[in-house]
Amino acid sequence: MNIQETINKAANVLKKNNIVTAYLDSELLLSEVLKKDRSYVILNSKEILDKKCLYDFNNLIYRRSKGEPCAYLVNYKEFWKYKYFVNKDVLIPRPDTEVLIEETLKIYDEKKGLKVLDIGTGSGCLLISVLKERKNFSGIGIDISKKALKVANFNAKLQQLNNRVKFYNSDIDKFFIGKYDLILSNPPYIKNFDLKYLDRDIVNYEPKIALDGGSDGLSEITKVINKASSLVKKNGKFILEIGCYQKNEIVKKLKDKNFYINKIVKDYAKKDRCIISTKI
Ligand code: GLN
């Protein structure tokens, strides 16, 4: 079978399994098997595939048809301008989280050497992307999951940032090191009860520890706000990702901790997703 026929067949299997991005996923998975990029697959549609390649590809399509996300099948996800290593120990970076990077870059230029803290760093994608854009910044990422930090460290090495970034395995409540000019966080904020209504790709494969915000969805975010309040410098900024219906409650919590609200930013789906505040 040639590339085009193979893709068509696989995309039909995925479509039957309710996967909306059936063609895109098939092209991506085949390019991974061939160790080429997606344009190769598109431009060489008549190339005949050998048995081994078809076997490996069909195996990936089978796993995808059961809901396993592409990012875990190919072990990477593009985020911001970079390719991040991911596995099932970390949340797959979401395009919506890029909003936090855009806002950070709008506020700070290259000149100053700021100290940044990322609370619940996961794959490290947020902190690493900011440090790549601002060569004078240095950063610390903390996470409760040791396994996630292995991934974050690996990504920092891939991006040659080892000398500007450090990761600590710590519960948020037990971290007391340093004072920071900027604190970033994308904490777990989904209501425990709502977890089961997420896409099956998410709920069956992504780490619950990175999603579960307790019974009201606010338990982890509240801890993060309290900690940020004690670790941020006066006039320092706190840039936080939130669930789309949490704005009012979180604004109140921030104000209670002496944060001035600068801006609330929507994500690509026009939902409230990010709060920028300043410690006063
Ligand atoms: N935005 C993610 C989702 O919709 C949730 C991320 C988080 O809880 N921090 O699955």
Short mmCIF file of all heavy atoms in Angstrom, two decimals, residues 143-202:
data_model
loop_
_atom_site.label_atom_id
_atom_site.label_comp_id
_atom_site.label_asym_id
_atom_site.label_seq_id
_atom_site.Cartn_x
_atom_site.Cartn_y
_atom_site.Cartn_z
N ASP A 143 7.31 21.03 41.53
CA ASP A 143 6.19 20.13 41.25
C ASP A 143 6.16 19.06 42.33
O ASP A 143 7.21 18.65 42.83
CB ASP A 143 6.33 19.50 39.87
CG ASP A 143 4.97 19.11 39.30
OD1 ASP A 143 4.33 18.16 39.84
OD2 ASP A 143 4.52 19.76 38.35
N ILE A 144 4.95 18.61 42.63
CA ILE A 144 4.81 17.56 43.64
C ILE A 144 5.18 16.20 43.06
O ILE A 144 5.49 15.26 43.78
CB ILE A 144 3.37 17.56 44.22
CG1 ILE A 144 3.29 16.72 45.48
CG2 ILE A 144 2.36 17.09 43.17
CD1 ILE A 144 2.00 16.91 46.25
N SER A 145 5.17 16.11 41.73
CA SER A 145 5.44 14.83 41.07
C SER A 145 6.91 14.72 40.64
O SER A 145 7.38 15.49 39.80
CB SER A 145 4.53 14.69 39.85
OG SER A 145 5.05 13.74 38.96
N LYS A 146 7.60 13.74 41.23
CA LYS A 146 9.00 13.49 40.86
C LYS A 146 9.11 13.10 39.40
O LYS A 146 10.06 13.47 38.71
CB LYS A 146 9.56 12.34 41.70
CG LYS A 146 10.21 12.79 42.96
CD LYS A 146 10.98 11.63 43.61
CE LYS A 146 11.40 12.06 44.99
NZ LYS A 146 11.51 11.01 45.95
N LYS A 147 8.13 12.30 38.96
CA LYS A 147 8.17 11.82 37.59
C LYS A 147 8.03 12.97 36.60
O LYS A 147 8.67 13.00 35.55
CB LYS A 147 7.06 10.79 37.36
CG LYS A 147 7.33 9.47 38.02
CD LYS A 147 6.18 8.53 37.76
CE LYS A 147 6.44 7.16 38.35
NZ LYS A 147 5.23 6.33 38.29
N ALA A 148 7.18 13.94 36.95
CA ALA A 148 7.02 15.11 36.08
C ALA A 148 8.34 15.87 35.99
O ALA A 148 8.74 16.34 34.91
CB ALA A 148 5.91 16.03 36.60
N LEU A 149 9.05 15.97 37.12
CA LEU A 149 10.29 16.74 37.12
C LEU A 149 11.38 16.09 36.27
O LEU A 149 12.23 16.78 35.72
CB LEU A 149 10.79 16.95 38.55
CG LEU A 149 9.93 17.93 39.35
CD1 LEU A 149 10.50 18.13 40.74
CD2 LEU A 149 9.80 19.29 38.65
N LYS A 150 11.33 14.79 36.14
CA LYS A 150 12.26 14.11 35.22
C LYS A 150 12.03 14.64 33.81
O LYS A 150 12.97 14.91 33.06
CB LYS A 150 11.98 12.60 35.21
CG LYS A 150 12.80 11.82 36.18
CD LYS A 150 12.66 10.34 35.85
CE LYS A 150 13.67 9.55 36.63
NZ LYS A 150 13.47 8.12 36.48
N VAL A 151 10.76 14.77 33.45
CA VAL A 151 10.41 15.27 32.12
C VAL A 151 10.86 16.73 31.97
O VAL A 151 11.46 17.11 30.96
CB VAL A 151 8.88 15.13 31.87
CG1 VAL A 151 8.48 15.76 30.56
CG2 VAL A 151 8.47 13.66 31.92
N ALA A 152 10.59 17.53 33.01
CA ALA A 152 10.95 18.95 32.97
C ALA A 152 12.47 19.11 32.81
O ALA A 152 12.95 19.92 32.00
CB ALA A 152 10.47 19.66 34.23
N ASN A 153 13.22 18.32 33.57
CA ASN A 153 14.68 18.39 33.47
C ASN A 153 15.16 18.01 32.08
O ASN A 153 16.07 18.64 31.52
CB ASN A 153 15.32 17.45 34.49
CG ASN A 153 15.69 18.19 35.75
OD1 ASN A 153 16.36 19.22 35.70
ND2 ASN A 153 15.24 17.70 36.88
N PHE A 154 14.55 16.99 31.53
CA PHE A 154 14.91 16.55 30.19
C PHE A 154 14.64 17.67 29.17
O PHE A 154 15.48 17.96 28.31
CB PHE A 154 14.11 15.29 29.84
CG PHE A 154 14.48 14.69 28.52
CD1 PHE A 154 15.70 14.02 28.36
CD2 PHE A 154 13.63 14.78 27.43
CE1 PHE A 154 16.05 13.47 27.13
CE2 PHE A 154 13.97 14.23 26.20
CZ PHE A 154 15.18 13.57 26.06
N ASN A 155 13.49 18.33 29.32
CA ASN A 155 13.16 19.42 28.40
C ASN A 155 14.11 20.61 28.55
O ASN A 155 14.48 21.24 27.57
CB ASN A 155 11.71 19.86 28.59
CG ASN A 155 10.75 18.90 27.90
OD1 ASN A 155 11.01 18.45 26.78
ND2 ASN A 155 9.65 18.58 28.55
N ALA A 156 14.51 20.88 29.79
CA ALA A 156 15.45 21.98 30.01
C ALA A 156 16.79 21.67 29.32
O ALA A 156 17.42 22.55 28.72
CB ALA A 156 15.66 22.20 31.50
N LYS A 157 17.21 20.41 29.39
CA LYS A 157 18.45 20.00 28.72
C LYS A 157 18.30 20.14 27.21
O LYS A 157 19.20 20.66 26.53
CB LYS A 157 18.80 18.56 29.06
CG LYS A 157 19.60 18.47 30.31
CD LYS A 157 20.31 17.10 30.46
CE LYS A 157 20.72 16.95 31.90
NZ LYS A 157 19.99 15.91 32.63
N LEU A 158 17.17 19.67 26.69
CA LEU A 158 16.93 19.77 25.24
C LEU A 158 17.06 21.21 24.77
O LEU A 158 17.54 21.49 23.68
CB LEU A 158 15.52 19.28 24.89
CG LEU A 158 15.23 17.80 24.76
CD1 LEU A 158 13.77 17.59 24.35
CD2 LEU A 158 16.15 17.15 23.73
N GLN A 159 16.60 22.13 25.60
CA GLN A 159 16.62 23.55 25.23
C GLN A 159 17.88 24.26 25.73
O GLN A 159 17.96 25.48 25.71
CB GLN A 159 15.37 24.27 25.78
CG GLN A 159 14.07 23.76 25.23
CD GLN A 159 13.97 23.87 23.72
OE1 GLN A 159 14.64 24.69 23.08
NE2 GLN A 159 13.16 23.02 23.12
N GLN A 160 18.83 23.49 26.20
CA GLN A 160 20.12 23.99 26.70
C GLN A 160 19.96 25.10 27.74
O GLN A 160 20.59 26.15 27.66
CB GLN A 160 20.97 24.49 25.52
CG GLN A 160 21.48 23.32 24.74
CD GLN A 160 21.62 23.62 23.26
OE1 GLN A 160 21.15 24.65 22.79
NE2 GLN A 160 22.26 22.75 22.54
N LEU A 161 19.09 24.82 28.68
CA LEU A 161 18.82 25.83 29.71
C LEU A 161 19.31 25.40 31.09
O LEU A 161 19.01 26.07 32.08
CB LEU A 161 17.31 26.09 29.81
CG LEU A 161 16.71 27.02 28.78
CD1 LEU A 161 15.22 27.14 29.01
CD2 LEU A 161 17.34 28.39 28.84
N ASN A 162 20.06 24.31 31.16
CA ASN A 162 20.43 23.73 32.46
C ASN A 162 21.03 24.75 33.42
O ASN A 162 20.83 24.67 34.61
CB ASN A 162 21.45 22.60 32.33
CG ASN A 162 21.28 21.81 31.07
OD1 ASN A 162 20.88 22.36 30.05
ND2 ASN A 162 21.56 20.53 31.13
N ASN A 163 21.76 25.74 32.87
CA ASN A 163 22.43 26.69 33.77
C ASN A 163 21.51 27.81 34.27
O ASN A 163 21.89 28.57 35.15
CB ASN A 163 23.67 27.28 33.08
CG ASN A 163 23.30 27.88 31.75
OD1 ASN A 163 22.21 27.61 31.22
ND2 ASN A 163 24.16 28.71 31.19
N ARG A 164 20.31 27.92 33.70
CA ARG A 164 19.42 29.01 34.13
C ARG A 164 18.14 28.53 34.81
O ARG A 164 17.31 29.31 35.21
CB ARG A 164 19.03 29.87 32.92
CG ARG A 164 20.12 30.82 32.49
CD ARG A 164 19.55 31.92 31.63
NE ARG A 164 19.24 31.48 30.28
CZ ARG A 164 18.15 31.82 29.63
NH1 ARG A 164 17.24 32.57 30.21
NH2 ARG A 164 17.95 31.39 28.40
N VAL A 165 17.99 27.20 34.89
CA VAL A 165 16.75 26.69 35.48
C VAL A 165 17.04 25.56 36.45
O VAL A 165 18.00 24.80 36.26
CB VAL A 165 15.75 26.25 34.37
CG1 VAL A 165 16.25 25.05 33.62
CG2 VAL A 165 14.38 25.97 34.92
N LYS A 166 16.25 25.51 37.50
CA LYS A 166 16.41 24.46 38.52
C LYS A 166 15.03 23.96 38.89
O LYS A 166 14.09 24.76 38.98
CB LYS A 166 17.05 25.10 39.75
CG LYS A 166 18.18 24.30 40.31
CD LYS A 166 18.73 25.00 41.51
CE LYS A 166 19.76 24.07 42.11
NZ LYS A 166 20.79 24.76 42.81
N PHE A 167 14.91 22.67 39.10
CA PHE A 167 13.61 22.12 39.48
C PHE A 167 13.68 21.49 40.87
O PHE A 167 14.66 20.84 41.21
CB PHE A 167 13.16 21.07 38.44
CG PHE A 167 12.90 21.68 37.09
CD1 PHE A 167 13.81 21.52 36.05
CD2 PHE A 167 11.75 22.41 36.86
CE1 PHE A 167 13.58 22.09 34.81
CE2 PHE A 167 11.50 22.99 35.61
CZ PHE A 167 12.42 22.82 34.59
N TYR A 168 12.63 21.72 41.65
CA TYR A 168 12.55 21.14 42.99
C TYR A 168 11.30 20.29 43.11
O TYR A 168 10.22 20.71 42.70
CB TYR A 168 12.45 22.24 44.05
CG TYR A 168 13.72 23.02 44.28
CD1 TYR A 168 13.93 24.23 43.63
CD2 TYR A 168 14.69 22.56 45.16
CE1 TYR A 168 15.10 24.96 43.83
CE2 TYR A 168 15.85 23.28 45.38
CZ TYR A 168 16.05 24.48 44.72
OH TYR A 168 17.18 25.20 44.94
N ASN A 169 11.49 19.13 43.72
CA ASN A 169 10.35 18.28 44.02
C ASN A 169 9.79 18.73 45.37
O ASN A 169 10.44 18.55 46.40
CB ASN A 169 10.81 16.82 44.07
CG ASN A 169 9.68 15.89 44.44
OD1 ASN A 169 9.85 14.97 45.23
ND2 ASN A 169 8.51 16.11 43.87
N SER A 170 8.63 19.37 45.35
CA SER A 170 8.09 19.86 46.61
C SER A 170 6.58 20.02 46.54
O SER A 170 6.03 20.38 45.50
CB SER A 170 8.72 21.21 46.95
OG SER A 170 8.13 21.76 48.10
N ASP A 171 5.96 19.77 47.65
CA ASP A 171 4.57 20.13 47.83
C ASP A 171 4.56 21.66 47.93
O ASP A 171 5.44 22.25 48.55
CB ASP A 171 4.11 19.50 49.16
CG ASP A 171 2.61 19.57 49.33
OD1 ASP A 171 2.01 20.53 48.80
OD2 ASP A 171 2.05 18.68 49.98
N ILE A 172 3.56 22.27 47.36
CA ILE A 172 3.49 23.73 47.37
C ILE A 172 3.58 24.31 48.77
O ILE A 172 4.28 25.31 49.02
CB ILE A 172 2.19 24.19 46.63
CG1 ILE A 172 1.94 25.68 46.80
CG2 ILE A 172 0.97 23.43 47.04
CD1 ILE A 172 2.72 26.46 45.87
N ASP A 173 2.92 23.66 49.73
CA ASP A 173 2.90 24.18 51.10
C ASP A 173 4.27 24.13 51.77
O ASP A 173 4.52 24.82 52.74
CB ASP A 173 1.93 23.35 51.97
CG ASP A 173 0.52 23.49 51.49
OD1 ASP A 173 0.18 24.58 50.99
OD2 ASP A 173 -0.25 22.51 51.59
N LYS A 174 5.14 23.27 51.24
CA LYS A 174 6.42 23.06 51.94
C LYS A 174 7.59 23.73 51.23
O LYS A 174 8.75 23.42 51.49
CB LYS A 174 6.68 21.55 52.07
CG LYS A 174 5.60 20.89 52.88
CD LYS A 174 5.92 19.45 53.22
CE LYS A 174 4.76 18.84 54.00
NZ LYS A 174 4.03 17.84 53.26
N PHE A 175 7.30 24.64 50.32
CA PHE A 175 8.38 25.29 49.58
C PHE A 175 8.57 26.72 50.09
O PHE A 175 7.65 27.52 50.09
CB PHE A 175 8.04 25.31 48.08
CG PHE A 175 9.16 25.84 47.24
CD1 PHE A 175 10.25 25.04 46.90
CD2 PHE A 175 9.13 27.15 46.78
CE1 PHE A 175 11.29 25.54 46.14
CE2 PHE A 175 10.17 27.65 46.01
CZ PHE A 175 11.25 26.85 45.69
N PHE A 176 9.80 27.03 50.54
CA PHE A 176 10.02 28.34 51.15
C PHE A 176 11.23 29.08 50.55
O PHE A 176 11.69 30.05 51.12
CB PHE A 176 10.25 28.18 52.66
CG PHE A 176 9.07 27.58 53.37
CD1 PHE A 176 9.03 26.22 53.66
CD2 PHE A 176 7.99 28.37 53.73
CE1 PHE A 176 7.93 25.66 54.29
CE2 PHE A 176 6.89 27.83 54.37
CZ PHE A 176 6.86 26.46 54.66
N ILE A 177 11.77 28.58 49.45
CA ILE A 177 13.05 29.11 48.97
C ILE A 177 12.88 30.33 48.07
O ILE A 177 12.17 30.28 47.06
CB ILE A 177 13.82 28.01 48.18
CG1 ILE A 177 14.01 26.78 49.07
CG2 ILE A 177 15.16 28.53 47.68
CD1 ILE A 177 14.54 25.56 48.34
N GLY A 178 13.55 31.43 48.44
CA GLY A 178 13.70 32.57 47.55
C GLY A 178 12.53 33.55 47.51
O GLY A 178 11.48 33.36 48.12
N LYS A 179 12.78 34.66 46.80
CA LYS A 179 11.77 35.68 46.52
C LYS A 179 11.83 35.93 45.01
O LYS A 179 12.92 35.96 44.44
CB LYS A 179 12.10 36.98 47.26
CG LYS A 179 11.76 36.93 48.73
CD LYS A 179 10.30 37.33 48.93
CE LYS A 179 9.90 37.29 50.41
NZ LYS A 179 8.45 37.46 50.60
N TYR A 180 10.70 36.14 44.40
CA TYR A 180 10.66 36.14 42.94
C TYR A 180 10.04 37.42 42.37
O TYR A 180 9.11 37.99 42.95
CB TYR A 180 9.88 34.91 42.46
CG TYR A 180 10.54 33.65 42.96
CD1 TYR A 180 10.21 33.14 44.21
CD2 TYR A 180 11.57 33.04 42.24
CE1 TYR A 180 10.86 32.03 44.72
CE2 TYR A 180 12.22 31.93 42.74
CZ TYR A 180 11.86 31.43 43.98
OH TYR A 180 12.53 30.35 44.49
N ASP A 181 10.56 37.82 41.21
CA ASP A 181 10.00 38.98 40.51
C ASP A 181 8.72 38.61 39.80
O ASP A 181 7.84 39.44 39.60
CB ASP A 181 11.00 39.48 39.45
CG ASP A 181 12.33 39.84 40.05
OD1 ASP A 181 12.41 40.90 40.70
OD2 ASP A 181 13.31 39.07 39.88
N LEU A 182 8.66 37.35 39.40
CA LEU A 182 7.51 36.90 38.61
C LEU A 182 7.18 35.46 39.01
O LEU A 182 8.07 34.61 39.09
CB LEU A 182 7.88 36.96 37.12
CG LEU A 182 6.94 36.25 36.14
CD1 LEU A 182 5.57 36.91 36.12
CD2 LEU A 182 7.52 36.26 34.72
N ILE A 183 5.89 35.22 39.25
CA ILE A 183 5.45 33.85 39.53
C ILE A 183 4.43 33.44 38.48
O ILE A 183 3.50 34.20 38.16
CB ILE A 183 4.87 33.71 40.96
CG1 ILE A 183 5.98 34.04 41.98
CG2 ILE A 183 4.32 32.31 41.19
CD1 ILE A 183 5.61 33.85 43.43
N LEU A 184 4.65 32.28 37.90
CA LEU A 184 3.74 31.72 36.90
C LEU A 184 3.12 30.45 37.46
O LEU A 184 3.78 29.74 38.21
CB LEU A 184 4.51 31.34 35.63
CG LEU A 184 5.35 32.41 34.94
CD1 LEU A 184 6.23 31.77 33.87
CD2 LEU A 184 4.42 33.46 34.32
N SER A 185 1.89 30.17 37.07
CA SER A 185 1.33 28.88 37.47
C SER A 185 0.13 28.48 36.62
O SER A 185 -0.73 29.30 36.30
CB SER A 185 0.91 28.92 38.95
OG SER A 185 0.50 27.62 39.34
N ASN A 186 0.12 27.21 36.26
CA ASN A 186 -1.05 26.59 35.65
C ASN A 186 -1.40 25.39 36.54
O ASN A 186 -1.03 24.26 36.23
CB ASN A 186 -0.75 26.15 34.22
CG ASN A 186 -1.90 25.36 33.61
OD1 ASN A 186 -3.03 25.42 34.10
ND2 ASN A 186 -1.62 24.61 32.56
N PRO A 187 -2.08 25.66 37.64
CA PRO A 187 -2.35 24.57 38.61
C PRO A 187 -3.55 23.72 38.19
O PRO A 187 -4.27 24.10 37.27
CB PRO A 187 -2.67 25.35 39.89
CG PRO A 187 -3.23 26.63 39.43
CD PRO A 187 -2.66 26.93 38.08
N PRO A 188 -3.77 22.60 38.87
CA PRO A 188 -4.98 21.82 38.57
C PRO A 188 -6.20 22.60 39.03
O PRO A 188 -6.22 23.06 40.17
CB PRO A 188 -4.82 20.56 39.43
CG PRO A 188 -3.52 20.66 40.14
CD PRO A 188 -2.95 22.02 39.94
N TYR A 189 -7.19 22.75 38.16
CA TYR A 189 -8.35 23.57 38.56
C TYR A 189 -9.70 22.98 38.12
O TYR A 189 -10.71 23.66 38.09
CB TYR A 189 -8.21 25.00 38.05
CG TYR A 189 -7.93 25.16 36.56
CD1 TYR A 189 -8.86 24.77 35.61
CD2 TYR A 189 -6.73 25.71 36.13
CE1 TYR A 189 -8.60 24.93 34.25
CE2 TYR A 189 -6.46 25.87 34.77
CZ TYR A 189 -7.40 25.49 33.85
OH TYR A 189 -7.14 25.64 32.51
N ILE A 190 -9.71 21.71 37.73
CA ILE A 190 -10.99 21.10 37.34
C ILE A 190 -11.67 20.55 38.60
O ILE A 190 -11.01 19.93 39.45
CB ILE A 190 -10.75 19.92 36.36
CG1 ILE A 190 -9.81 20.32 35.22
CG2 ILE A 190 -12.08 19.36 35.86
CD1 ILE A 190 -10.40 21.09 34.11
N LYS A 191 -12.99 20.78 38.69
CA LYS A 191 -13.74 20.23 39.83
C LYS A 191 -13.68 18.72 39.76
O LYS A 191 -13.92 18.14 38.69
CB LYS A 191 -15.22 20.65 39.74
CG LYS A 191 -15.52 21.98 40.31
CD LYS A 191 -17.04 22.20 40.30
CE LYS A 191 -17.31 23.67 40.54
NZ LYS A 191 -18.66 24.06 40.17
N ASN A 192 -13.39 18.12 40.90
CA ASN A 192 -13.30 16.67 40.99
C ASN A 192 -14.49 15.96 40.31
O ASN A 192 -14.31 15.03 39.52
CB ASN A 192 -13.26 16.36 42.49
CG ASN A 192 -12.96 14.94 42.73
OD1 ASN A 192 -13.86 14.13 42.63
ND2 ASN A 192 -11.71 14.63 43.01
N PHE A 193 -15.68 16.48 40.56
CA PHE A 193 -16.89 15.89 40.02
C PHE A 193 -16.94 15.97 38.48
O PHE A 193 -17.51 15.12 37.81
CB PHE A 193 -18.11 16.61 40.63
CG PHE A 193 -19.43 16.06 40.17
CD1 PHE A 193 -19.95 14.91 40.75
CD2 PHE A 193 -20.14 16.69 39.15
CE1 PHE A 193 -21.17 14.40 40.33
CE2 PHE A 193 -21.36 16.18 38.72
CZ PHE A 193 -21.88 15.03 39.31
N ASP A 194 -16.30 17.02 37.94
CA ASP A 194 -16.36 17.25 36.48
C ASP A 194 -15.32 16.46 35.69
O ASP A 194 -15.38 16.41 34.47
CB ASP A 194 -16.15 18.75 36.16
CG ASP A 194 -17.34 19.57 36.61
OD1 ASP A 194 -18.41 18.98 36.83
OD2 ASP A 194 -17.18 20.80 36.74
N LEU A 195 -14.36 15.86 36.41
CA LEU A 195 -13.28 15.16 35.71
C LEU A 195 -13.83 14.13 34.73
O LEU A 195 -13.34 13.99 33.61
CB LEU A 195 -12.34 14.46 36.71
CG LEU A 195 -11.37 15.36 37.46
CD1 LEU A 195 -10.65 14.56 38.54
CD2 LEU A 195 -10.37 16.00 36.52
N LYS A 196 -14.89 13.44 35.16
CA LYS A 196 -15.41 12.36 34.32
C LYS A 196 -16.10 12.88 33.05
O LYS A 196 -16.35 12.12 32.14
CB LYS A 196 -16.34 11.45 35.12
CG LYS A 196 -17.50 12.11 35.80
CD LYS A 196 -18.33 11.04 36.52
CE LYS A 196 -19.45 11.63 37.35
NZ LYS A 196 -18.98 12.46 38.47
N TYR A 197 -16.38 14.17 33.00
CA TYR A 197 -17.01 14.73 31.80
C TYR A 197 -15.98 15.26 30.79
O TYR A 197 -16.35 15.74 29.72
CB TYR A 197 -17.98 15.85 32.16
CG TYR A 197 -19.10 15.39 33.06
CD1 TYR A 197 -19.27 15.94 34.33
CD2 TYR A 197 -19.98 14.38 32.64
CE1 TYR A 197 -20.28 15.49 35.17
CE2 TYR A 197 -20.98 13.93 33.47
CZ TYR A 197 -21.13 14.49 34.73
OH TYR A 197 -22.14 14.04 35.55
N LEU A 198 -14.71 15.22 31.14
CA LEU A 198 -13.68 15.65 30.18
C LEU A 198 -13.62 14.64 29.03
O LEU A 198 -14.09 13.50 29.17
CB LEU A 198 -12.31 15.72 30.86
CG LEU A 198 -12.15 16.76 31.99
CD1 LEU A 198 -10.77 16.59 32.63
CD2 LEU A 198 -12.31 18.17 31.45
N ASP A 199 -13.03 15.04 27.92
CA ASP A 199 -12.84 14.10 26.79
C ASP A 199 -12.22 12.80 27.28
O ASP A 199 -11.35 12.83 28.14
CB ASP A 199 -11.82 14.71 25.81
CG ASP A 199 -12.50 15.55 24.78
OD1 ASP A 199 -13.74 15.69 24.86
OD2 ASP A 199 -11.79 16.05 23.90
N ARG A 200 -12.61 11.69 26.66
CA ARG A 200 -12.05 10.41 27.12
C ARG A 200 -10.52 10.39 26.91
O ARG A 200 -9.79 9.76 27.67
CB ARG A 200 -12.70 9.23 26.40
CG ARG A 200 -12.34 9.17 24.95
CD ARG A 200 -12.78 7.92 24.23
NE ARG A 200 -12.36 8.15 22.83
CZ ARG A 200 -12.24 7.24 21.92
NH1 ARG A 200 -12.52 6.00 22.20
NH2 ARG A 200 -11.85 7.54 20.71
N ASP A 201 -10.04 11.11 25.90
CA ASP A 201 -8.58 11.18 25.67
C ASP A 201 -7.88 11.77 26.89
O ASP A 201 -6.77 11.39 27.24
CB ASP A 201 -8.23 12.09 24.48
CG ASP A 201 -8.80 11.59 23.18
OD1 ASP A 201 -9.74 10.79 23.22
OD2 ASP A 201 -8.31 12.02 22.13
N ILE A 202 -8.55 12.75 27.52
CA ILE A 202 -7.95 13.40 28.69
C ILE A 202 -8.13 12.50 29.92
O ILE A 202 -7.17 12.12 30.57
CB ILE A 202 -8.61 14.78 28.95
CG1 ILE A 202 -8.47 15.70 27.74
CG2 ILE A 202 -8.01 15.42 30.20
CD1 ILE A 202 -9.16 17.05 27.89
#
